[in-house]
Amino acid sequence: MNGFTHTDAAGNARMVDVSEKSITRRVAVAEGYLITRPDVIQRIQTQNIAKGDVLAVARVAGIMAAKRTPDLIPLCHGLPMDGCEVELTCQDDRVRIQATCLIDAKTGIEMEALTAVSVAALTLYDMCKAVDKAMRIEGVRLLSKTGGKSGDYHADR
Amino acid sequence: MNGFTHTDAAGNARMVDVSEKSITRRVAVAEGYLITRPDVIQRIQTQNIAKGDVLAVARVAGIMAAKRTPDLIPLCHGLPMDGCEVELTCQDDRVRIQATCLIDAKTGIEMEALTAVSVAALTLYDMCKAVDKAMRIEGVRLLSKTGGKSGDYHADR
Amino acid sequence: MNGFTHTDAAGNARMVDVSEKSITRRVAVAEGYLITRPDVIQRIQTQNIAKGDVLAVARVAGIMAAKRTPDLIPLCHGLPMDGCEVELTCQDDRVRIQATCLIDAKTGIEMEALTAVSVAALTLYDMCKAVDKAMRIEGVRLLSKTGGKSGDYHADR
Amino acid sequence: MNGFTHTDAAGNARMVDVSEKSITRRVAVAEGYLITRPDVIQRIQTQNIAKGDVLAVARVAGIMAAKRTPDLIPLCHGLPMDGCEVELTCQDDRVRIQATCLIDAKTGIEMEALTAVSVAALTLYDMCKAVDKAMRIEGVRLLSKTGGKSGDYHADR
Amino acid sequence: MNGFTHTDAAGNARMVDVSEKSITRRVAVAEGYLITRPDVIQRIQTQNIAKGDVLAVARVAGIMAAKRTPDLIPLCHGLPMDGCEVELTCQDDRVRIQATCLIDAKTGIEMEALTAVSVAALTLYDMCKAVDKAMRIEGVRLLSKTGGKSGDYHADR
Amino acid sequence: MNGFTHTDAAGNARMVDVSEKSITRRVAVAEGYLITRPDVIQRIQTQNIAKGDVLAVARVAGIMAAKRTPDLIPLCHGLPMDGCEVELTCQDDRVRIQATCLIDAKTGIEMEALTAVSVAALTLYDMCKAVDKAMRIEGVRLLSKTGGKSGDYHADR
């Protein structure tokens, strides 16, 4: 066994056989940040109080992207998710993005949560780039996963 | 004018009218990093010498995602890209990802480059997560854009 | 509970958690109409006797759209449908469209049936718009759903 | 010439050759209605004042669907739209949906506008179906198109 | 120059830069065959006389797949096709499939024509596999291409 | 019963109801060939020794296409595959492509395996067409399927 489950003995890419795995309840939580200037955050928040569109659009984009994860990540299994939430929190100079995905399935749902965070961040970038091109996406990582044979995982906070 | 070109006066989301813009040659370069442990990098590189699949799969995923950017980013215009390159460089404890996208069009191609970087990073995460779940995606940002009325942009290095 | 299952307490969009729901057999039937002129219906029918293509293309488009419902409707769960039928009936000045979708799943399949009807109608419009631009899509609604905890529903005829 | 531009002489479906058409500025406006109960409209509006998510999600879904029109409507040409706006207006017992799409292209953009209206309506249905399953989508039609050789079209109001 | 335009000097995959190419009218024609038993052809033809659905569905599938070529072929440029026709001809023990695609663009449209043929053939297989699992897809090739700097190509007949 | 499970009594296309079928483990293996000149094979292999990209890209494209089969084949059920492998073997004047797909489901997975082979072959064509436009895709067929009520199938070798 080579540690990389997505390649065979010769190192060729494959979508691994999960048919022997058992179906368990799985939850994955991921987070990430869009770093910008405080005045951009203020504009997003003011906009948000009036209509909420910037955050609303990013939230929808994140959820829709989570559903399309197997289309984007080549060796990722297609999974009919049971639920998905994307939370956006404005902080001083950044928007914190947290995605929670859940499923009853043979394989985990970490990639869906990480994809939701990444695409929500990209959408925020797209909508704000006219006022700040120096924004950065930072700290996209898995916070926790539960369920599955490999056991639970909780990131250091 | 409200600074957010993707919302109307009432703050509602829209895909802005670019029909009056002129077609110019546009190039965008973005970068990002997948941070992991040195031993994971060594595994990727050894794998790479033998077959190159981990990096090859991430490269393909990044290019394909760039083409699907308008499907992912709600208010982004659909653009038939003229070219796209994704370069992956192994460093001590990270993989550096750089994407270059180009087009002759009325609107920029920054989102395509940033999406290519993000999805290549997610693919690396997916392929290596069996050996390291604590990987993080950091520093996803626009390095430069040229072409278009708003002028060129070069990030501070 | 706020009545809108697709928003959380703060009114933010989310894809609701259905993991506690039990899997039951579910059937949804939807209908709709493309209203046009009698001479357009005659052209469709004559065409249909010869080759059937206008109706055949709309039928295929409806079925394919049903499969893509989760890609189109942001907060809709992805469901591997067990079956789908789209029936098109020419009447005096209209085409009646009826879609039946079925599944064994935790969530209903109404959106798939309604999407099949809508996209079949749009396809009819597309194929006939050279002869009638005043066509209208009317009466798209759920006729019945069975299965699931919320009970059966049958529309007034 | 058989009046149906999407079939050949034998009635077989095809995607017609538009290469000889000239590129002109084209605008299409479509409308449609989601009919429901007054109390559902009040809930949408109250929700809207707080966060706007129901209408915001439908607006985003409509714009994204417009971009995917060629993927849904079999014989429709793929067009890189220059702009798209979806306006939602709450009335007594209904939501009025209006979509405006524009492009410089060889073919029209009516299908994009009609698809945006239909998918926005389906999204409203999806988000409100827990409180009203008897909602109907009515009056989806082209309001106007300008540009192109076949001349302008304005629906009777 | 290494002859493989889709890899850089180091052999890495990329989507080549075509921005310096000039826009010319391009036409590509491809063919292929689904080989089966004569009795299956007779069934398809009888079916065809009644309703034509098997051939109609395959034709639609081929056209829709041509439009999605850049989503399927990783390094293929996205092109808004000007037209596409898929012709299906029943012969003794086979269905001949021919696809013609055209465009005014910087890059060729061969892949669209070959993809249309392949997916039409796969669709025929799918619809007939209940009566013959031994069907084969044979002779998928480019018949001709015109336009572009590399000159015209006509296959040996 | 008319032998074509994808059409109803009147010959209209439909996606057949599989809800009464039982879930069994299913495996499908398909093969196909890209025929070219020996010198092209040598170039692919040399390229392969250096970086492996041509074969790696085709492998990824095949796996991703398998996941998108229900989007391409109109009446094919959507199935969350349990695994997929695409093997490419260089021979004298051809590349042999073999795809293995598996699933626990109510319906078979033959179309996924055949689609993986076809799209991998198309990708090879795309990447090598600058050096040989006369390449042909030949012998795409099902090698075996196991599982399901209709019994196992093994092609004559």
Side-chain angles (χ1 to χ4, degrees):
Chain A
M1 193 278 201
N2 64 10
F4 289 93
T5 57
H6 288 110
T7 49
D8 65 17
N12 293 320
R14 62 184 173 141
M15 190 173 148
V16 293
D17 178 7
V18 299
S19 58
E20 298 306 321
K21 291 190 173 187
S22 54
I23 293 177
T24 65
R25 173 77 180 273
R26 292 154 187 277
V27 182
V29 184
E31 71 166 359
Y33 295 87
L34 183 81
I35 316 292
T36 180
R37 300 189 313 255
D39 64 293
V40 178
I41 295 298
Q42 279 183 311
R43 277 163 171 263
I44 291 175
Q45 285 184 304
T46 316
Q47 209 57 12
N48 182 31
I49 286 160
K51 277 285 173 176
D53 262 12
V54 175
L55 299 180
V57 174
R59 205 181 287 121
V60 172
I63 294 170
M64 293 184 84
K67 292 195 275 184
R68 307 187 71 185
T69 301
D71 260 6
L72 294 172
I73 311 297
L75 306 178
C76 191
H77 291 80
L79 299 171
M81 269 196 302
D82 277 343
C84 179
E85 248 182 86
V86 175
E87 293 160 78
L88 300 170
T89 318
C90 287
Q91 299 177 345
D92 270 9
D93 62 349
R94 61 193 62 196
V95 181
R96 181 177 181 271
I97 306 156
Q98 179 174 309
T100 306
C101 296
L102 36 101
I103 198 170
D104 287 326
K106 294 175 183 171
T107 56
I109 196 155
E110 299 96 294
M111 294 317 302
E112 276 75 4
L114 288 162
T115 301
V117 167
S118 294
V119 174
L122 289 167
T123 301
L124 290 174
Y125 188 99
D126 182 47
M127 294 186 76
C128 302
K129 69 179 187 289
V131 291
D132 182 9
K133 280 181 185 53
M135 287 175 291
R136 305 185 318 273
I137 302 170
E138 302 278 3
V140 178
R141 62 171 184 154
L142 184 68
L143 281 184
S144 68
K145 71 174 274 284
T146 58
K149 203 181 63 178
S150 71
D152 294 354
Y153 170 80
H154 294 277
D156 301 330
R157 291 278 177 156
Chain B
M1 193 280 200
N2 65 10
F4 289 94
T5 57
H6 289 110
T7 50
D8 63 19
N12 293 320
R14 62 183 173 140
M15 189 173 149
V16 294
D17 177 7
V18 298
S19 56
E20 298 305 323
K21 291 189 173 187
S22 54
I23 293 176
T24 65
R25 173 78 180 271
R26 292 153 187 277
V27 181
V29 184
E31 71 165 359
Y33 295 86
L34 183 82
I35 316 292
T36 181
R37 300 188 313 256
D39 64 294
V40 178
I41 296 299
Q42 280 183 310
R43 278 164 170 263
I44 292 174
Q45 285 183 305
T46 316
Q47 208 56 12
N48 183 30
I49 286 161
K51 276 285 172 179
D53 261 12
V54 175
L55 299 180
V57 174
R59 205 180 288 121
V60 171
I63 293 170
M64 293 184 84
K67 290 195 277 184
R68 306 187 70 186
T69 301
D71 261 5
L72 295 172
I73 310 299
L75 306 177
C76 191
H77 292 80
L79 300 171
M81 268 197 304
D82 278 343
C84 179
E85 247 183 86
V86 175
E87 294 160 78
L88 300 170
T89 318
C90 286
Q91 300 177 345
D92 270 8
D93 62 349
R94 64 194 59 197
V95 181
R96 181 176 181 273
I97 305 156
Q98 179 174 312
T100 306
C101 296
L102 36 102
I103 197 169
D104 286 327
K106 294 175 183 171
T107 57
I109 198 155
E110 299 96 296
M111 293 317 301
E112 277 74 4
L114 288 161
T115 300
V117 167
S118 293
V119 173
L122 289 167
T123 301
L124 290 174
Y125 187 99
D126 182 46
M127 295 185 76
C128 302
K129 69 179 187 289
V131 291
D132 182 9
K133 281 181 183 53
M135 287 174 292
R136 304 185 318 275
I137 302 170
E138 303 278 3
V140 177
R141 63 171 184 154
L142 184 67
L143 282 184
S144 68
K145 71 174 275 283
T146 58
K149 201 181 65 180
S150 71
D152 294 354
Y153 170 79
H154 295 276
D156 300 331
R157 292 277 178 157
Chain C
M1 194 278 203
N2 65 8
F4 290 93
T5 56
H6 289 110
T7 49
D8 64 18
N12 293 320
R14 62 182 173 142
M15 190 172 148
V16 293
D17 177 7
V18 299
S19 58
E20 298 305 322
K21 292 190 173 186
S22 54
I23 293 176
T24 66
R25 173 77 180 271
R26 292 154 186 277
V27 182
V29 184
E31 70 166 1
Y33 295 87
L34 183 82
I35 316 292
T36 180
R37 301 187 314 253
D39 64 293
V40 178
I41 296 298
Q42 280 183 310
R43 278 164 170 264
I44 292 175
Q45 284 183 304
T46 316
Q47 205 65 4
N48 183 31
I49 286 160
K51 276 285 172 176
D53 261 11
V54 175
L55 300 180
V57 174
R59 205 180 289 121
V60 171
I63 294 170
M64 292 184 85
K67 291 195 275 184
R68 306 185 72 184
T69 301
D71 259 5
L72 294 172
I73 311 298
L75 307 178
C76 192
H77 292 80
L79 299 170
M81 270 196 302
D82 277 344
C84 179
E85 247 183 87
V86 175
E87 294 160 78
L88 300 170
T89 317
C90 286
Q91 299 177 346
D92 270 10
D93 62 348
R94 63 194 60 196
V95 181
R96 180 178 182 272
I97 305 155
Q98 179 172 310
T100 306
C101 296
L102 35 100
I103 198 170
D104 287 327
K106 294 175 183 172
T107 57
I109 197 155
E110 300 96 295
M111 293 318 300
E112 275 75 4
L114 289 161
T115 301
V117 167
S118 294
V119 173
L122 289 167
T123 301
L124 291 173
Y125 188 99
D126 181 46
M127 294 186 78
C128 302
K129 68 179 189 288
V131 292
D132 182 10
K133 280 182 185 53
M135 288 174 292
R136 303 184 319 274
I137 301 170
E138 302 278 3
V140 177
R141 62 172 184 153
L142 184 68
L143 282 184
S144 68
K145 71 174 274 284
T146 58
K149 203 183 64 179
S150 72
D152 294 354
Y153 170 79
H154 294 277
D156 302 330
R157 290 275 178 157
Chain D
M1 193 278 203
N2 65 9
F4 289 94
T5 57
H6 289 110
T7 50
D8 63 19
N12 293 319
R14 63 185 172 138
M15 189 173 149
V16 295
D17 178 6
V18 299
S19 57
E20 298 304 323
K21 291 189 172 187
S22 54
I23 293 176
T24 65
R25 173 76 182 271
R26 292 154 187 276
V27 181
V29 184
E31 71 166 359
Y33 295 86
L34 183 82
I35 316 292
T36 181
R37 300 187 313 256
D39 64 292
V40 179
I41 296 299
Q42 280 184 311
R43 278 164 170 264
I44 291 174
Q45 285 183 304
T46 317
Q47 209 58 10
N48 183 30
I49 286 159
K51 276 285 172 178
D53 263 11
V54 175
L55 300 180
V57 174
R59 204 180 289 121
V60 172
I63 293 170
M64 292 184 86
K67 290 195 276 184
R68 306 187 71 185
T69 301
D71 261 5
L72 294 172
I73 311 298
L75 307 178
C76 191
H77 292 78
L79 300 170
M81 269 196 303
D82 278 344
C84 178
E85 246 183 87
V86 174
E87 293 160 79
L88 300 169
T89 318
C90 287
Q91 300 176 345
D92 270 9
D93 63 349
R94 64 194 58 197
V95 181
R96 180 176 182 273
I97 305 155
Q98 178 173 311
T100 306
C101 295
L102 36 100
I103 198 170
D104 287 326
K106 293 175 183 171
T107 57
I109 197 154
E110 300 95 297
M111 294 317 301
E112 276 74 4
L114 288 162
T115 300
V117 167
S118 293
V119 173
L122 289 166
T123 301
L124 290 173
Y125 187 99
D126 182 46
M127 294 187 75
C128 302
K129 68 178 189 288
V131 292
D132 182 9
K133 280 182 185 51
M135 288 175 293
R136 304 185 318 275
I137 301 171
E138 303 278 2
V140 178
R141 63 172 183 151
L142 184 66
L143 282 184
S144 68
K145 69 174 275 286
T146 58
K149 202 182 66 180
S150 71
D152 295 354
Y153 169 80
H154 294 277
D156 300 331
R157 290 280 178 153
Chain E
M1 194 280 200
N2 65 9
F4 290 93
T5 57
H6 289 109
T7 48
D8 63 18
N12 293 320
R14 64 186 170 137
M15 189 173 150
V16 293
D17 178 7
V18 299
S19 58
E20 298 305 322
K21 291 189 174 187
S22 54
I23 292 177
T24 65
R25 173 77 181 270
R26 293 154 186 276
V27 182
V29 184
E31 72 166 359
Y33 295 87
L34 183 82
I35 316 292
T36 180
R37 300 189 312 257
D39 65 293
V40 178
I41 295 299
Q42 279 183 312
R43 277 163 171 265
I44 292 174
Q45 284 183 306
T46 317
Q47 204 63 5
N48 184 31
I49 286 159
K51 275 287 173 178
D53 262 12
V54 176
L55 299 180
V57 174
R59 204 180 289 121
V60 172
I63 293 170
M64 292 183 86
K67 290 195 277 184
R68 305 185 72 186
T69 301
D71 261 5
L72 295 172
I73 311 299
L75 306 178
C76 190
H77 292 79
L79 300 171
M81 268 196 303
D82 277 343
C84 178
E85 248 183 85
V86 175
E87 294 161 78
L88 299 170
T89 318
C90 287
Q91 300 176 346
D92 271 8
D93 62 349
R94 63 194 60 197
V95 181
R96 180 176 182 272
I97 305 155
Q98 178 173 310
T100 306
C101 296
L102 35 101
I103 198 170
D104 287 327
K106 293 176 185 171
T107 58
I109 197 153
E110 300 96 295
M111 293 319 301
E112 276 74 4
L114 288 162
T115 301
V117 167
S118 294
V119 173
L122 289 167
T123 301
L124 290 174
Y125 187 100
D126 182 46
M127 294 186 76
C128 302
K129 68 179 189 288
V131 293
D132 182 10
K133 279 181 185 52
M135 288 175 292
R136 304 185 318 276
I137 301 170
E138 301 278 4
V140 177
R141 63 171 184 152
L142 184 67
L143 283 184
S144 68
K145 71 173 274 287
T146 57
K149 203 182 63 179
S150 71
D152 294 354
Y153 169 80
H154 294 275
D156 300 331
R157 290 277 178 157
Chain F
M1 193 279 202
N2 64 9
F4 290 93
T5 57
H6 288 110
T7 50
D8 64 18
N12 293 320
R14 62 182 172 141
M15 189 173 148
V16 294
D17 177 7
V18 298
S19 57
E20 299 304 323
K21 292 191 172 184
S22 54
I23 294 177
T24 65
R25 173 75 181 272
R26 293 154 186 276
V27 182
V29 185
E31 70 165 1
Y33 295 87
L34 182 82
I35 316 292
T36 180
R37 301 188 312 254
D39 64 293
V40 178
I41 296 299
Q42 279 183 311
R43 277 163 171 263
I44 292 174
Q45 284 183 305
T46 316
Q47 207 60 7
N48 182 31
I49 286 160
K51 276 286 173 176
D53 262 10
V54 175
L55 299 180
V57 174
R59 204 180 289 121
V60 171
I63 294 170
M64 293 184 85
K67 291 195 276 184
R68 307 186 70 184
T69 301
D71 259 6
L72 295 173
I73 311 298
L75 307 178
C76 190
H77 291 80
L79 299 170
M81 270 195 302
D82 277 344
C84 178
E85 246 182 86
V86 174
E87 293 160 79
L88 300 170
T89 318
C90 287
Q91 299 177 346
D92 270 9
D93 63 349
R94 62 194 60 197
V95 181
R96 180 177 182 272
I97 305 155
Q98 179 173 310
T100 306
C101 295
L102 36 100
I103 197 170
D104 288 326
K106 295 175 182 171
T107 56
I109 197 154
E110 299 96 296
M111 293 318 301
E112 276 75 3
L114 288 161
T115 300
V117 167
S118 294
V119 174
L122 289 167
T123 301
L124 290 174
Y125 187 99
D126 182 47
M127 294 185 77
C128 302
K129 69 179 189 289
V131 291
D132 182 9
K133 280 182 185 52
M135 288 174 291
R136 306 184 318 274
I137 301 170
E138 302 278 3
V140 177
R141 62 172 184 152
L142 184 67
L143 282 184
S144 68
K145 71 174 274 287
T146 58
K149 203 182 63 180
S150 71
D152 295 354
Y153 169 80
H154 294 277
D156 301 331
R157 290 278 179 155

